[in-house]
Amino acid sequence: MKARILALSGGIGGAKLALGLYQTLGAGELAVLVNTADDFEHLGLYISPDVDTLLYTLAGLADPERGWGRAGETWQFMTELRRLSGEDWFLLGDKDLALHVERARQLRAGASLTAITGAIAARFGIKAQVLPMSDQPVRTILTTDAGVLDFQRYFVGLRAQPAVHSIEYRGAATAGANPEALSLLADPALEAVILCPSNPWLSVAPLLAMPALRTALLACRAPVVAVSPIVGGAAIKGPTAKIMTELGLPVTATAVARYYGDLLDGYVIDRADAGMAPDFGLPSLATATIMKTDQDKRRLAAEVLAFARQLT
Ligand code: FO1
């Protein structure tokens, strides 16, 4: 079955809504196109944090507190790595490690990230498509107070503390966007595209920086609806608000809508920001957007779907 809903997502924040959509829609109806610009090679392995967050979340295997990695994880590998004075700034749990080792083996054997991810999703029993945004490398590189940094060095190594001056999505201009996502966007049966409440500048921008994907989003007949990651002048999680300030932007749902610009056909904001609705210049829905429980995720997903369908 071809998916009817395409969600664009980064890691933890986006995965929450993706899970709500997954649990609300029928088997095979959801495809999630995931940021891979946070990917990196580490300890000889290929780490794809946002893809893995989606896989673990949809499979019900994610750690509920951290949002990344596996529930019930053990850390013997890290303990032994530290004993050897190995690089220990990026945590790889024992269960998680198996995925990285197996993926690195398959990549070396010539398989694509898309094929590997699809096979893992099937092994995990996931009845949705989890699509890496590209099979070619795109990397988020930040120019900061602490110099030019790879994403994970900035985000995990330095806990997103250096001030960000500019962000580059290296490779995006020439990377081929996931063909399955492009085919869905061209399909008249597609009902909606949902931009999940991920960090627009760190997690969604790398996807939009791929020209073929941006063009396909603009051309697609289905409504494109974003869910704001900003609630009442603050980010729900992570460094979104900090980065907006550093980039000279007001920390508002309106600034996010302006950033997405003409890509959007509709915008979902929190009730706390309902007063801003006239600023967007497009249809909007104000509702409770903070997702604490799985029920919150399903309720928001159902509201976003109903709103999008009404825009068709
Ligand atoms: N985030 C951290 O804050 N510290 C870590 O040590 C860490 C390890 C890690 C390992 C595998 C994985 O899939 C994700 C991991 N993350 C970790 C999360 C990840 O770096 C970020 O949340 C995303 O890249 C941002 O979307």
Side-chain angles (χ1 to χ4, degrees):
M1 171 196 243
K2 226 167 153 81
R4 295 192 293 131
I5 303 294
L6 177 65
L8 272 52
S9 180
I12 302 162
K16 287 185 178 184
L17 183 61
L19 180 64
L21 292 165
Y22 180 60
Q23 293 183 345
T24 302
L25 292 162
E29 291 185 335
L30 174 69
V32 190
L33 187 65
V34 189
N35 175 39
T36 56
D38 299 3
D39 293 12
F40 73 131
E41 282 185 35
H42 183 57
L43 307 176
L45 304 171
Y46 183 88
I47 317 289
S48 192
D50 289 355
V51 167
D52 293 351
T53 295
L54 257 298
L55 288 169
Y56 292 152
T57 300
L58 298 187
L61 297 170
D63 182 275
E65 265 83 55
R66 288 192 310 271
W68 56 268
R70 294 282 302 264
E73 188 57 283
T74 55
W75 302 95
Q76 294 196 40
F77 168 72
M78 289 309 299
T79 304
E80 293 307 313
L81 190 63
R82 275 187 203 112
R83 198 198 298 273
L84 300 170
S85 298
E87 273 195 67
D88 66 353
W89 62 275
F90 193 82
L91 301 177
L92 294 177
D94 302 331
K95 293 182 185 182
D96 190 30
L97 187 60
L99 172 50
H100 305 307
V101 170
E102 178 53 17
R103 177 169 45 212
R105 185 192 70 75
Q106 292 190 30
L107 282 170
R108 275 195 303 275
S112 70
L113 188 59
T114 298
I116 297 167
T117 305
I120 295 168
R123 297 290 296 185
F124 282 171
I126 297 172
K127 297 194 168 35
Q129 285 178 290
V130 179
L131 306 169
M133 69 182 201
S134 178
D135 282 323
Q136 279 101 51
V138 178
R139 296 292 174 262
T140 299
I141 310 284
L142 301 107
T143 301
T144 74
D145 275 354
V148 178
L149 299 169
D150 290 350
F151 181 82
Q152 296 298 343
R153 276 286 172 193
Y154 157 78
F155 194 84
V156 173
L158 297 173
R159 296 176 194 283
Q161 274 165 4
V164 174
H165 302 303
S166 61
I167 310 173
E168 178 195 348
Y169 312 104
R170 192 170 289 168
T174 52
N178 188 300
E180 181 59 25
L182 295 179
S183 148
L184 285 172
L185 287 167
D187 187 339
L190 187 73
E191 289 177 16
V193 180
I194 317 282
L195 307 193
C196 290
S198 297
N199 183 320
W201 288 270
L202 294 182
S203 299
V204 185
L207 287 92
L208 305 181
M210 291 188 294
L213 187 68
R214 180 177 276 275
T215 306
L217 283 167
L218 285 168
C220 116
R221 282 176 36 192
V224 178
V225 172
V227 179
S228 174
I230 297 295
V231 174
I236 296 161
K237 201 173 186 301
T240 310
K242 178 175 172 286
I243 284 185
M244 290 178 82
T245 306
E246 289 162 358
L247 295 177
L249 296 162
V251 183
T252 61
T254 307
V256 172
R258 294 220 170 103
Y259 180 67
Y260 288 139
D262 56 3
L263 285 174
L264 296 190
D265 299 304
Y267 194 33
V268 178
I269 52 166
D270 196 83
R271 281 209 190 97
D273 298 315
M276 292 179 179
D279 302 344
F280 308 142
L282 77 168
S284 63
L285 167 74
T287 183
T289 60
I290 297 177
M291 295 170 277
K292 292 216 169 92
T293 64
D294 282 1
Q295 201 196 336
D296 295 339
K297 295 168 196 168
R298 287 192 293 271
R299 195 242 336 120
L300 180 60
E303 288 185 345
V304 171
L305 289 171
F307 172 63
R309 282 174 179 145
Q310 163 211 312
L311 297 172
T312 310

